[in-house]
Amino acid sequence: MNKKIKWGILSTGHISNKFAKALAILPQAKLIAVASRNLSKAKAFAKEHNVIKAYASYKELAEDHEIDVVYIGTPHSFHFDDSVLCMRNGKAVLCEKAFTINADEAREMVRIAREENVFLMEAMIPRHIPLLKKVMQWIKDGKIGEVRMLKASRCARGVFAAGARHLDPSLGGGSLLDVGVYVISFASQIFGKAPIEAIGLSHIGHLGSDEQGIAILKYDKGELADLSFALRTNAVDEAYILGTEGCIKIHEVFAVPTKASLFIDNLEVETLEEPIIGNALNYEAEEVMRCLQKGLKESALMPLDESIEIMEVMDTIRKPWALRYPNDKE
Ligand SMILES: NC(=O)c1ccc[n+]([C@@H]2O[C@H](COP(=O)([O-])OP(=O)(O)OC[C@H]3O[C@@H](n4cnc5c(N)ncnc54)[C@H](OP(=O)(O)O)[C@@H]3O)[C@@H](O)[C@H]2O)c1
C-alpha cells in the first residue's frame, strides 16, 4: 500500500481552512503542520483541524523534514516567495491560483522547481472536476465537431471586509488575477494552445484594482474566446463551447459544475450530471498525491509551462490598463 502523504498548510485564511477540510476526507493524506505569521492563529487552526504542529513562521514549516508537500494559501503577491521558500527546502508545492503575479515570477518559479527537482502545481480546481473531465472527452470524441468559440463567465458580487486582499493592488487584488484566471485557464484547456492575440478592457475601481473585465482571445486557426470576470458584478457563471457541429453548455457554476448539456442544432441531445464530492479542493489534492506516489514532478492536468502561458496572457491583457502590481518590474 502507498504511504500516507504528509501535508503542511502555509497560512490560515479562508482557502487554507477549506483545504484542511478537503484533506480530512482523503485517507491517503495526513495534515501534520500549519504555519501562520501569528502563533495564536496557527494554534487555533491546528486545534480546529486536528493538526499536530503549529508554527509561528512560514520558514519553520518549510524547514520541517517530516512534511512531503506544502499547500500555499497566501494572497497572490506572496505565491512566488512562499513557494520558493518551500521548494528550496525540498518540499513539493501546491500553490493557489493565480500562480504568481506575472509571467516573470511564473517562469522563475518553474525554473526553481526544475532545478530543485521538486513537484509543483498551480491549484486550478476546474482541471480536476470529474464532470469537466467528461466534457473534455466529449470534445475529444468529436461530439461538437471542431471547437471554434468559447464563451465563459466567472463573475460575482463579493462583499469584502475592509483591507481584504481581493481588491487591494498591493496584494495582487483585482478580478483578472482572482477570477479571470479561471476563464483564461479554461480557454487554454479547451483550445490546448496559447492565443496569438489577447485583448481586454476593464474598469479600475476606487481602490485601484480592476473590479470587472472582459477579454477576447484569438487562436491560430481563427478560434475565439469571449471571457468575462468580475468581483463586484453579479452573473450566471456558465460556459459555452461552440463547435462546427454542436455546442456544449456547462451549467452554473462552470468552474465547479455538476451539469453539462450537449446541443445539436439547438436541441439538447445529451446531458451529463455528476455531483461534487467534498468541497472540490479534495480533487486537486488527490492529483498531487497521485503524482507524488508516482514520483512525477508535475501534473499533466495542469502543466507548468501552461501555467506560465496563462500568466503571459494575463500580462498581455492588463498591459494597457492603469494597473501595476508592486511585484511588476516595469
Ligand atoms: N481555489 C479557490 O477556490 C480559491 C478560493 C479563494 C481563494 N483562492 C486563492 O487563495 C489565495 C488566498 O485567498 P483567501 O481568500 O484564502 O485569502 P485570505 O482569507 O485573506 O487568507 C490569506 C492568508 O494569507 C496569509 N497572509 C500572508 N501575508 C499576508 C498579507 N500581507 N495580507 C494578508 N494575508 C496574508 C494570512 O495567513 P496568516 O495570517 O495565517 O499568515 C491570510 O490569512 C489567493 O491567491 C486566492 O486566489 C482560491
Side-chain angles (χ1 to χ4, degrees):
M1 190 179 137
N2 285 333
K3 75 171 179 85
K4 280 206 177 205
I5 300 286
K6 293 179 182 156
W7 287 83
I9 293 185
L10 189 150
S11 80
T12 59
H14 163 75
I15 201 67
S16 293
N17 271 282
K18 276 187 82 172
F19 195 76
K21 288 179 186 154
L23 290 182
I25 68 163
L26 299 174
Q28 69 275 41
K30 188 156 176 56
L31 174 56
I32 64 162
V34 62
S36 172
R37 297 162 301 165
N38 170 315
L39 184 58
S40 59
K41 278 171 79 180
K43 281 186 170 168
F45 186 104
K47 191 172 173 201
E48 184 178 348
H49 298 288
N50 204 13
V51 187
I52 309 156
K53 305 180 203 183
Y55 292 120
S57 77
Y58 299 160
K59 187 168 177 287
E60 285 170 89
L61 180 97
E63 290 173 351
D64 182 328
H65 293 300
E66 245 199 299
I67 296 171
D68 298 310
V69 52
V70 176
Y71 171 78
I72 310 287
T74 47
H76 330 316
S77 52
F78 304 112
H79 289 177
F80 176 82
D81 286 349
D82 297 336
S83 298
V84 170
L85 173 69
C86 295
M87 293 192 296
R88 287 292 189 209
N89 281 282
K91 303 294 180 294
V93 165
L94 172 63
C95 177
E96 260 310 332
K97 45 54 64 175
F99 194 44
T100 51
I101 285 290
N102 55 38
D104 282 342
E105 285 189 348
R107 279 187 287 270
E108 182 61 5
M109 199 153 117
V110 170
R111 191 192 67 74
I112 292 169
R114 288 175 177 153
E115 184 177 287
E116 296 292 341
N117 199 26
V118 292
F119 176 89
L120 173 64
M121 188 178 90
E122 178 184 5
M124 179 50 64
I125 290 182
R127 302 281 170 133
H128 309 280
I129 299 296
L131 181 109
L132 285 177
K133 288 183 180 171
K134 289 185 177 168
V135 166
M136 293 308 291
Q137 194 56 48
W138 265 0
I139 294 171
K140 274 201 192 107
D141 293 345
K143 296 229 177 210
I144 58 167
E146 200 185 320
V147 179
R148 298 298 298 156
M149 290 214 252
L150 169 70
K151 285 168 78 74
S153 157
R154 188 76 185 93
C155 302
R157 185 167 176 89
V159 179
F160 306 119
R165 64 165 184 87
H166 305 80
L167 291 169
D168 180 349
S170 74
L171 298 176
S175 62
L176 176 65
L177 292 193
D178 204 48
V179 286
V181 66
Y182 286 112
V183 282
I184 288 162
S185 181
F186 193 53
S188 174
Q189 184 180 4
I190 293 296
F191 293 112
K193 55 192 171 185
I196 54 166
E197 270 180 71
I199 56 168
L201 293 175
S202 71
H203 168 71
I204 305 293
H206 71 284
L207 293 173
S209 57
D210 55 313
E211 290 189 358
Q212 60 178 6
I214 287 175
I216 307 283
L217 312 183
K218 183 174 180 180
Y219 294 82
D220 60 349
K221 290 186 181 144
E223 307 97 319
L224 296 169
D226 164 1
L227 312 170
S228 27
F229 39 90
L231 288 172
R232 302 285 292 143
T233 309
N234 260 303
V236 176
D237 275 346
E238 297 167 335
Y240 294 85
I241 307 160
L242 316 182
T244 49
E245 311 298 327
C247 160
I248 297 168
K249 171 179 175 176
I250 300 167
H251 296 250
E252 195 176 18
V253 176
F254 109 82
V256 193
T258 54
K259 186 174 175 188
S261 307
L262 172 66
F263 292 85
I264 306 288
D265 293 334
N266 286 320
L267 283 180
E268 188 168 349
V269 293
E270 233 179 296
T271 308
L272 282 174
E273 291 195 68
E274 174 107 29
I276 299 287
I277 294 168
N279 64 15
L281 295 168
N282 37 294
Y283 295 120
E284 62 192 15
E286 276 181 311
E287 170 63 3
V288 172
M289 293 190 285
R290 188 192 67 80
C291 291
L292 293 181
Q293 300 281 17
K294 290 194 150 198
L296 301 175
K297 303 304 172 194
E298 66 181 290
S299 162
L301 296 177
M302 188 65 260
L304 292 171
D305 287 338
E306 198 179 338
S307 287
I308 294 173
E309 270 173 20
I310 290 161
M311 290 312 307
E312 285 171 347
V313 172
M314 294 202 289
D315 280 4
T316 305
I317 288 168
R318 75 178 167 91
K319 202 167 185 181
W321 303 352
L323 176 63
R324 291 290 171 273
Y325 292 119
N327 309 34
D328 289 333
K329 282 192 187 126
E330 45 174 85

